[in-house]
Amino acid sequence: MLRGVSDDVTQALGAEQQRFEAALKEVGDADALYELQVQYIGKKGSVSKLRGQMGKLAPEERKAFGMAFNEVKKAIEAALEERKEAILGAAREADLGRVEDLTMVDTLSAVGSIHPITRTRRELSRVFRKLGFDVVDGPHVEHELYNFDKLNIPADHPARDMQDTFFVDGQSTKNDSNLVLRTHTSPVQIRTMLGREPPIRIVAMGTVFRKDDDATHSPMFHQIEGLCIDKGVTMADLKATLYRFVSAFFGSDLKVRLRPSFFPFVEPGAEFDMECPFCPTNEAGEKLPSCSVCKGSCWIELGGAGMVHPKVLQACDVDPQEYTGWAFGFGIDRMATLLHGVPDLRLLFDGDVRFLEQFPC
Ligand code: PHE
């Protein structure tokens, strides 16, 4: 009878061990392993419970069972430990093998660039400020009186034609005249003389509008106006200023030439050209006629200039007996294309980002 108990208990021990080993194979993580440990060798575990059966054994059998029990328990403990190491090792391996994407995501928005026209305007401002000129501004919508009349442009002048000028709905508050989109920056001459006492040295830059639209003309373009009013001012001052400006702007010693021309608001009037800074030269430093910018003429046309007409001075309450002055005006867009090597003026206004991206800040 006692012998039977011993056999049963020993068998049960073996069966538990086998069950444990089978269950251990299924264990995948540390939590399940712990569960298994509790289930078999925990205080109330199935193996631990068999130890309580010792009391039922004959004293001479207890030792053998005790040894068998300890062996099984040790084997289970060792298997648990081994498995625990394996699970922790695998977890460590997985942790080490983890590939974290450490790429810094660029959250900055795209950086813009400064439009060639704006750059050119800034550069012009810089150069003329250095030469002692103030930079002033004027409105785009202008009184016809300032855009034309006070500039000695008579009512029947072709510039007043609807073909050339954008007239704007509404009446000017000056002389019941019309409102126009300014066709040049010259009305800023008028505004400045009406608003300041001589001596005056200003440049004004900005957008002007004419009903032109072809390969070389845009209905919206940009001009710069220069005005100098003082006692004893002559054409020589005009030429010297243009020479200084052109040389400073293009960074080399460049000649300027004046050709007689007509603008109603200057007398004498002239067109002015600058020496081409782009002409290729031979070893002797002589310019070659193959230049694509000036087409071999060695001169680049810039704009109009001249001595401010006495009628214009009078229209602005400046005494022509006391003061003289000069004015010039030319297109900025041409300057920008020359400066930045832009082959077609229209590219400046297409708003194509791929074009603008070529001018990084
Ligand atoms: N306003 C003239 C134009 O647009 C240029 C100019 C300005 C001419 C000043 C003479 C003096 O063509």
Side-chain angles (χ1 to χ4, degrees):
M1 161 81 183
L2 281 173
R3 187 145 200 104
V5 172
S6 169
D7 285 348
D8 284 354
V9 177
T10 309
Q11 244 175 34
L13 191 62
E16 280 310 307
Q17 187 176 14
Q18 272 175 16
R19 231 162 46 92
F20 166 80
E21 279 164 4
L24 184 66
K25 285 192 184 125
E26 305 299 319
V27 166
D29 58 38
D31 283 348
L33 194 68
Y34 178 72
E35 288 298 316
L36 204 65
Q37 180 180 343
V38 172
Q39 206 181 323
Y40 285 88
I41 56 169
K43 238 194 224 157
K44 293 180 180 163
S46 56
V47 173
S48 307
K49 270 187 193 160
L50 290 175
R51 198 166 189 272
Q53 304 281 323
M54 283 253 272
K56 293 181 186 165
L57 297 180
E60 64 275 16
E61 286 170 338
R62 282 185 196 156
K63 196 179 170 198
F65 178 75
M67 279 169 64
F69 178 86
N70 283 340
E71 237 164 66
V72 168
K73 195 177 175 205
K74 266 191 198 153
I76 289 178
E77 279 171 349
L80 285 170
E81 191 56 35
E82 190 188 328
R83 198 53 193 274
K84 189 173 161 191
E85 276 305 313
I87 288 173
L88 288 179
R92 226 176 288 131
E93 280 297 308
D95 198 31
L96 288 174
R98 195 184 57 199
V99 179
E100 286 286 336
D101 183 0
L102 299 178
T103 315
M104 198 173 86
V105 179
D106 181 5
T107 52
L108 294 173
S109 48
V111 177
S113 59
I114 298 185
H115 193 280
I117 296 287
T118 309
R119 278 182 178 224
T120 307
R121 283 178 65 161
R122 289 183 182 176
E123 184 61 10
L124 288 167
S125 288
R126 197 183 64 77
V127 170
F128 276 106
R129 280 212 181 92
K130 256 189 165 172
L131 292 175
F133 287 74
D134 282 351
V135 179
V136 301
D137 221 352
H140 293 173
V141 177
E142 187 55 280
H143 306 289
E144 213 181 349
L145 182 74
Y146 290 0
N147 194 82
F148 296 126
D149 298 76
K150 281 184 179 286
L151 285 163
N152 196 32
I153 301 175
D156 57 357
H157 192 279
R160 301 249 193 158
D161 198 292
M162 301 283 277
Q163 298 305 315
D164 292 323
T165 304
F166 291 104
F167 287 85
V168 178
D169 282 348
Q171 281 279 294
S172 159
T173 50
K174 312 274 174 197
N175 275 15
D176 279 346
S177 65
N178 292 305
L179 289 171
V180 296
L181 293 185
R182 64 178 180 185
T183 59
H184 50 178
T185 42
S186 298
V188 186
Q189 289 186 37
I190 304 300
R191 290 178 170 272
T192 307
M193 285 189 273
L194 289 174
R196 298 188 182 196
E197 291 295 321
I200 291 169
R201 278 177 185 75
I202 60 106
V203 288
M205 280 176 273
T207 316
V208 300
F209 308 85
R210 285 184 205 170
K211 267 187 166 176
D212 277 337
D213 201 2
D214 59 38
T216 50
H217 295 91
S218 148
M220 181 279 305
F221 56 106
H222 301 86
Q223 283 191 333
I224 178 170
E225 192 85 10
L227 177 70
C228 169
I229 307 283
D230 206 343
K231 289 177 181 165
V233 170
T234 71
M235 203 97 173
D237 300 306
L238 167 65
K239 195 172 180 190
T241 305
L242 291 174
Y243 162 72
R244 288 267 166 229
F245 149 66
V246 163
S247 299
F249 192 80
F250 287 96
S252 57
D253 189 16
L254 296 170
K255 289 194 193 81
V256 164
R257 79 175 176 189
L258 298 173
R259 287 176 287 115
S261 187
F262 175 74
F263 300 93
F265 36 94
V266 285
E267 181 58 37
E271 307 241 6
F272 70 98
D273 307 333
M274 69 171 199
E275 194 182 347
C276 178
F278 306 106
C279 287
T281 51
N282 62 17
E283 291 103 57
E286 290 159 350
K287 292 192 171 187
L288 300 171
S290 55
C291 178
S292 62
V293 180
C294 66
K295 308 274 183 295
S297 73
C298 294
W299 293 100
I300 294 175
E301 280 184 30
L302 279 189
M307 298 304 291
V308 179
H309 199 292
K311 282 192 183 168
V312 175
L313 294 175
Q314 267 164 348
C316 300
D317 303 322
V318 176
D319 183 357
Q321 301 301 321
E322 197 180 352
Y323 291 104
T324 52
W326 52 250
F328 67 76
F330 62 86
I332 293 179
D333 315 76
R334 182 91 198 289
M335 278 269 161
T337 57
L338 289 177
L339 207 61
H340 299 289
V342 178
D344 185 333
L345 193 101
R346 286 170 296 181
L347 285 169
L348 293 173
F349 309 124
D350 279 351
D352 189 327
V353 176
R354 291 167 305 173
F355 168 74
L356 298 174
E357 278 171 352
Q358 295 173 49
F359 305 91
C361 295

